[in-house]
């Protein structure tokens, strides 16, 4: 299956592949820099596995991790059967070295397993980074199949151009965002949406300001082999190194936490990059407040293809702000469907005054990732399916 590149919704997101100019790549905004917690190196890893067949698609993996992948016979979300005995109470496994996972690895730093660029049989010293088992796999019932995994981190990047590479079996998605790597409105910077044997996908990044940035790697497995590697090469350097490699002095450092909390989107419908979306679909976004960042319900605005959508049903309960636009196509006269094809949505919001990060932003401080003014804006795309309008001649009146 062919590689599917990132969304075109931001002009800046031009993926760079080997052989292309170093200047191509997604540009990380300087306002996204955060204060990483330097006492917590590494990554947070969460795994969700089911027992029955699932398709090799990014949307399935996202639904699975969000407990939205349901048993169609019962309508109930499928139970996670990954072996989480080594995971924390927050549901995450702590990875304090690098991401080089292989289902064939029998233990940490396995001396014999090898898949992808790195591993026991790698031809170069840089590649000889021994593999780890996949956290949570095999699951409670001994299976290595049908799982999805997210890996959260803050990467410390220096100003300049980078090539980031994910070697995966099967597909993956890498996103970057303004604060919390769990953000479902994070920008896609590289992905492969499908099944494949272990293979590289490389994409470009441009860093305008040195600092720590929030990243998330989602990857997934159907059946057969399963592995993932996450590496970076700085433009102009010859070494391609695993992120957070403790044995390489030039490796990009990773930290699993930040000093501050940041508000984020925990649910987006239709999801970024979704295809086959029904034309009568409502648009829903759920935002989660953070300490010092409380979403102001009165500030919310939703646009689709540059047109403001009203009215919005906005509900704030505790730390959750829910925004829903009710598609007029679901009400008489059943018109105003979302137009067929690619739609560009934009949500805008701001924070209630008084929070630490709100004050830092409005006063021009450096704590907040938002810059020194203006509301938060997120863009995302989804593709609306074609639909047919039936002629009234096909209607039959029920005369009783």
């Amino acid at each position: 299956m062919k590689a599917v590149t990132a969304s075109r919704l931001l002009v800046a997101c031009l993926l760079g592949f080997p052989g292309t100019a170093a200047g191509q790549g997604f540009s990380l905004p300087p306002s996204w820099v955060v204060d990483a917690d330097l006492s917590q190196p590494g990554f947070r890893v969460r795994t969700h596995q089911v027992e029955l067949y699932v398709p090799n698609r990014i949307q399935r993996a996202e639904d699975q991790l969000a407990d939205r992948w349901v048993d169609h016979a019962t309508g109930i979300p499928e139970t996670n059967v990954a072996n989480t005995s080594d995971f924390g109470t927050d549901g995450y496994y702590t990875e304090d070295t690098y991401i080089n996972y292989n289902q064939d690895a029998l233990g940490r730093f396995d001396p014999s397993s090898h898949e992808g660029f790195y591993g026991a049989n790698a031809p170069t010293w840089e590649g000889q980074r021994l593999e780890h088992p996949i956290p949570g796999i095999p699951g409670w019932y001994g299976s290595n199949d049908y799982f999805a995994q997210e890996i959260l981190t803050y990467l410390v990047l220096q100003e300049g151009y980078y090539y980031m590479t994910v070697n995966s079996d099967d597909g993956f998605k890498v996103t970057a965002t303004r604060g919390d790597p769990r953000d479902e409105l994070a920008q896609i910077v590289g992905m492969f949406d499908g099944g494949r044997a272990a293979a590289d996908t490389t994409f470009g990044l441009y860093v305008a300001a040195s600092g720590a940035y929030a990243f998330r790697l989602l990857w997934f497995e159907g059946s057969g082999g399963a592995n993932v590697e996450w590496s970076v090469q700085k433009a102009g350097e010859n070494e391609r190194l695993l992120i957070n490699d403790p044995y390489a002095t030039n490796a990009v450092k990773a930290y699993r936490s930040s000093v501050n909390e940041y508000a984020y989107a925990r649910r987006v419908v239709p999801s970024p990059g979704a295809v086959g979306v029904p034309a009568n679909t409502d648009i829903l976004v759920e935002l989660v407040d953070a300490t010092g960042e409380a979403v102001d319900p009165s500030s919310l605005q939703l646009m689709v293809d540059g047109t403001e959508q009203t009215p919005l049903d906005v509900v704030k309960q505790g730390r959750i702000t829910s925004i829903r636009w009710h598609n007029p196509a679901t009400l008489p006269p059943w018109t105003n469907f979302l137009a067929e094809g690619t739609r560009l949505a934009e949500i805008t919001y701001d924070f209630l005054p008084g929070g630490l990060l709100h004050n830092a932003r409005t006063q021009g401080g450096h704590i907040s990732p938002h810059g020194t003014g203006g509301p938060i804006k997120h863009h995302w795309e989804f593709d609306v399916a074609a639909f047919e309008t039936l002629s009234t001649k096909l209607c039959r009146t029920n005369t009783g």
Side-chain angles (χ1 to χ4, degrees):
M1 181 176 291
K2 68 178 181 179
V4 182
T5 58
S7 168
R8 60 178 175 83
L9 63 89
L10 292 180
V11 175
C13 190
L14 302 172
L15 296 183
F17 294 90
T20 65
Q24 291 185 324
F26 176 69
S27 182
L28 293 168
S31 60
W32 285 8
V33 172
V34 303
D35 291 328
D37 187 341
L38 304 185
S39 69
Q40 299 190 54
F43 311 81
R44 299 170 66 205
V45 181
R46 184 164 66 95
T47 308
H48 191 291
Q49 183 186 38
V50 296
E51 295 182 73
L52 301 177
Y53 168 81
V54 287
N56 270 331
R57 300 306 300 268
I58 287 173
Q59 189 59 56
R60 177 272 293 182
E62 293 285 18
D63 289 342
Q64 196 173 331
L65 285 163
D67 285 325
R68 295 194 294 262
W69 189 259
V70 300
D71 182 329
H72 295 290
T74 64
I76 299 173
E78 294 206 31
T79 301
N80 183 9
V81 296
N83 182 349
T84 57
S85 57
D86 291 333
F87 289 47
T89 56
D90 62 353
Y92 286 86
Y93 173 87
T94 298
E95 176 56 69
D96 58 5
T97 62
Y98 45 67
I99 301 302
N100 185 14
Y101 294 150
N102 183 356
Q103 73 176 25
D104 294 333
L106 300 180
R108 300 277 293 178
F109 304 100
D110 188 283
S112 59
S113 68
H114 176 85
E115 193 65 71
F117 182 78
Y118 303 92
N121 300 324
T124 65
W125 181 88
E126 291 87 352
Q128 291 171 346
R129 292 294 182 261
L130 301 181
E131 296 175 331
H132 303 321
I134 301 168
I137 302 299
W140 289 117
Y141 299 107
S143 173
N144 291 318
D145 299 331
Y146 311 138
F147 67 83
Q149 186 174 87
E150 71 170 1
I151 301 170
L152 311 178
T153 193
Y154 295 88
L155 302 183
V156 178
L157 302 172
Q158 304 304 311
E159 180 181 349
Y161 297 100
Y162 288 84
Y163 293 113
M164 181 172 284
T165 299
V166 175
N167 182 287
S168 65
D169 175 356
D170 289 291
F172 79 94
K173 178 177 74 173
V174 172
T175 54
T177 191
R178 52 164 288 276
D180 192 310
R182 295 173 294 178
D183 191 358
E184 287 207 13
L185 286 173
Q187 173 62 43
I188 301 170
V189 296
M191 68 183 189
F192 182 93
D193 193 7
R196 66 180 181 183
D200 286 348
T201 298
T202 300
F203 41 97
L205 291 172
Y206 175 67
V207 181
S210 300
Y213 293 86
F215 278 82
R216 176 179 184 254
L217 167 59
L218 164 79
W219 73 288
F220 52 90
E221 158 69 354
S223 59
N227 79 285
V228 68
E229 301 169 348
W230 198 4
S231 61
V232 163
Q233 180 176 339
K234 201 169 191 305
E237 296 183 0
N238 296 323
E239 292 181 306
R240 168 184 165 184
L241 301 172
L242 286 170
I243 294 171
N244 208 49
D245 184 343
Y247 309 107
T249 57
N250 293 331
V252 167
K253 301 299 183 186
Y255 298 92
R256 60 183 184 271
S257 298
S258 62
V259 173
N260 299 304
E261 292 183 2
Y262 302 94
Y264 67 97
R266 74 170 185 179
R267 188 180 184 193
V268 180
V269 179
S271 61
V275 296
V277 174
N280 62 348
T281 297
D282 289 356
I283 297 178
L284 170 68
V285 178
E286 291 180 355
L287 301 171
V288 181
D289 290 347
T291 302
E293 283 193 344
V295 174
D296 181 356
S298 67
S299 69
L300 286 154
Q301 182 184 56
L302 178 68
M303 311 277 284
V304 176
D305 295 330
T307 301
E308 184 175 2
Q309 305 301 309
T310 59
L312 296 179
D313 184 5
V314 180
V315 177
K316 191 175 186 69
Q317 293 184 327
R319 298 180 63 187
I320 309 300
T321 303
S322 175
I323 310 97
R324 182 184 291 271
W325 172 69
H326 294 280
N327 192 318
T330 62
L331 303 170
W334 294 285
T335 58
N336 299 318
F337 289 89
L338 288 168
E340 174 189 349
T342 300
R343 307 272 65 82
L344 174 62
E346 174 187 283
I347 188 169
T348 303
Y349 61 93
D350 210 336
F351 300 113
L352 294 167
L356 168 66
L357 298 184
H358 181 278
N359 290 339
R361 180 178 58 143
T362 56
Q363 296 170 13
H366 70 279
I367 299 176
S368 172
H370 315 312
T372 58
I376 308 305
K377 293 180 182 290
H378 282 291
H379 306 77
W380 78 102
E381 285 184 345
F382 54 89
D383 193 76
V384 177
F387 62 93
E388 298 292 334
T389 301
L390 298 179
S391 169
T392 56
K393 296 179 180 180
L394 298 177
C395 296
R396 177 178 179 180
T397 303
N398 186 354
T399 58

